[in-house]
Amino acid sequence: QDPMDFEWSYWIEWGREHILWLLAGHLLVSQVSRLLVEKYKPWCLMVYGMLACWLLLGIKGFAVILLHAAVSFAVAQFQLSLLTWLCSLILLSTLRIPAVEETKRKWYDTENEYYLLLFTVSVRCLFCTSFSLEYCWHRPTQKSSHSFPWMLAYVFYYPTFHNGPFMNFDEFSKQMRRQEAFSVKSNLSILIVGIIRIFFWWYLAELMIHLMYIHALYSSALPLESASYWALGGLALAQVLFFYVKYLVLYGVPSLLLQMDGLKPPALPCCVSLMHSFTKMWRLCCLSVVCVTYRYIYVPMGGSQSSLLGMLFSTALTFAFVSYWHGGQSYLWYWGALNWFGVIVENGVKRILSISLIQDLI
């Protein structure tokens, strides 16, 4: 097995030891509550999510996430989007303060447990930001549906707790409040088909890990220097295809549970081999953080509907946040800048080709 893909190895290990069992517990609580107490389902799932968080992250990890939610909710009361974003960035920056990092490491026996807290809090920051911004944007008459208990039900919803996928608060609360007919038979068929698909994706990912050694090749300069450009292109394609299959598994499991809870899950990533547009790739292959930035940064700042400078600025802000959320290391800023440049070039060429004179020449 190629052990160099940290993300796959990490989540598979945690999944086998703890997370899959806790997800199975969530499924049981969800189905029983849908069958017996549909009205109280959100609160049953909230309590279960809190207990699962306490069990895996300990009382201190649980307290950190609760504190983040409480601070975000308090700041949202001012109903200022800029203040909400400032609060979110400050909370996110606390994850990178060396003294705070060392303190949190001492709470756990292993580095993997600390990383679980780090990843979970990072994803929870996105959910807190979504709730707070939706709160700022709604009229006073709609504020009753944005209470602190509903924020906790959203933040501690366990299928999306550790790694996503992202679902904005308005969609979550609207679908969670909806009471519909519950059929054990139809839910069972959804579960069986979903498990078969996930096992197929998981087996395909394991085959790639055991036979292709993509990440091991990337970790050494010697084979890359000696490879032809065709071989390098093949390695690059293999890596992004593995990334796609990996997230079909990592997002496929929580998406299946969302369906079982009566919610409509976000669309799974689109296969990169079907992409010919750089912009379309970002829209259809986007992961949690990209969904957040598109809805809460790119569109509010004008996006493609604004002037050329406005589009440049909103796109730059989007990739800046994506780079910062992932850790803010120098290579991530380079990665964000290159992606920003790719999107801008593609949009620039599209605008040029839309000119009637150019179309006539073509």
Side-chain angles (χ1 to χ4, degrees):
Q1 175 178 336
D2 178 359
M4 300 306 293
D5 188 86
F6 169 78
E7 191 176 32
W8 177 257
S9 304
Y10 182 85
W11 289 116
I12 290 298
E13 182 183 341
W14 270 105
R16 285 171 176 162
E17 290 182 3
H18 299 288
I19 293 176
L20 281 178
W21 300 106
L22 289 171
L23 288 173
H26 169 93
L27 179 62
L28 180 63
V29 171
S30 167
Q31 299 311 294
V32 170
S33 61
R34 286 189 76 185
L35 194 61
L36 303 177
V37 284
E38 176 77 19
K39 185 179 177 181
Y40 300 103
K41 181 182 71 172
W43 316 121
C44 295
L45 297 181
M46 179 191 75
V47 171
Y48 181 85
M50 287 178 162
L51 291 173
C53 172
W54 194 319
L55 180 66
L56 273 192
L57 301 177
I59 180 62
K60 293 178 180 177
F62 171 78
V64 167
I65 294 170
L66 193 61
L67 178 64
H68 276 232
V71 170
S72 297
F73 183 79
V75 171
Q77 303 309 301
F78 293 98
Q79 299 183 37
L80 297 171
S81 298
L82 188 60
L83 190 61
T84 292
W85 268 115
L86 184 61
C87 171
S88 298
L89 290 172
I90 290 171
L91 290 174
L92 201 55
S93 68
T94 60
L95 302 179
R96 303 182 182 96
I97 299 172
V100 177
E101 284 186 83
E102 284 305 311
T103 301
K104 289 177 181 175
R105 274 191 169 92
K106 291 175 184 176
W107 297 348
Y108 302 105
D109 298 326
T110 65
E111 195 79 353
N112 272 2
E113 290 174 293
Y114 163 72
Y115 280 132
L116 185 65
L117 173 67
L118 183 66
F119 297 149
T120 304
V121 174
S122 297
V123 175
R124 293 306 93 200
C125 276
L126 300 180
F127 282 69
C128 289
T129 301
S130 173
F131 175 89
S132 300
L133 288 172
E134 298 289 352
Y135 185 93
C136 293
W137 294 349
H138 282 74
R139 294 188 295 273
T141 53
Q142 298 171 298
K143 291 292 190 286
S144 59
S145 61
H146 291 68
S147 62
F148 188 60
W150 267 105
M151 183 184 193
L152 293 181
Y154 176 58
V155 169
F156 285 98
Y157 181 67
Y158 195 69
T160 63
F161 190 67
H162 296 293
N163 197 36
F166 175 77
M167 186 179 191
N168 73 65
F169 175 74
D170 271 18
E171 285 296 318
F172 174 83
S173 62
K174 182 174 68 177
Q175 294 179 35
M176 191 62 82
R177 290 170 194 272
R178 185 179 62 219
Q179 296 186 20
E180 52 187 21
F182 175 71
S183 168
V184 176
K185 186 178 178 180
S186 63
N187 255 24
L188 188 61
S189 64
I190 291 171
L191 181 64
I192 292 170
V193 172
I195 288 174
I196 291 170
R197 292 176 71 192
I198 289 164
F199 265 102
F200 172 75
W201 296 330
W202 173 78
Y203 186 68
L204 181 57
E206 286 291 329
L207 275 178
M208 296 174 81
I209 283 282
H210 280 82
L211 300 178
M212 297 180 72
Y213 297 94
I214 315 154
H215 304 91
L217 286 167
Y218 270 114
S219 65
S220 175
L222 188 62
L224 297 179
E225 288 171 353
S226 60
S228 67
Y229 288 126
W230 281 106
L232 290 175
L235 282 171
L237 178 60
Q239 189 180 48
V240 293
L241 285 172
F242 176 77
F243 186 82
Y244 159 67
V245 174
K246 172 171 68 177
Y247 270 92
L248 285 179
V249 178
L250 297 183
Y251 279 2
V253 174
S255 292
L256 176 59
L257 289 175
L258 282 162
Q259 281 185 282
M260 297 296 291
D261 290 346
L263 308 180
K264 182 182 178 183
L268 292 174
C270 186
C271 181
V272 290
S273 293
L274 301 177
M275 297 293 103
H276 66 274
S277 162
F278 201 67
T279 308
K280 188 179 178 184
M281 185 203 73
W282 271 107
R283 286 177 180 168
L284 298 182
C285 302
C286 62
L287 305 179
S288 294
V289 69
V290 185
C291 294
V292 175
T293 51
Y294 183 79
R295 179 175 173 83
Y296 299 117
I297 298 178
Y298 184 74
V299 173
M301 294 303 295
S304 58
Q305 304 304 312
S306 62
S307 64
L308 179 60
L309 283 177
M311 190 194 71
L312 289 171
F313 182 66
S314 56
T315 309
L317 275 182
T318 298
F319 284 113
F321 181 77
V322 172
S323 301
Y324 183 69
W325 183 83
H326 277 93
Q329 291 90 349
S330 58
Y331 71 88
L332 287 167
W333 293 113
Y334 296 138
W335 170 82
L338 287 169
N339 278 285
W340 173 80
F341 182 72
V343 169
I344 292 304
V345 167
E346 186 168 272
N347 275 282
V349 171
K350 282 181 181 177
R351 292 196 179 201
I352 292 170
L353 293 177
S354 66
I355 299 169
S356 57
L357 178 62
I358 301 297
Q359 288 182 343
D360 291 342
L361 287 171
I362 292 171

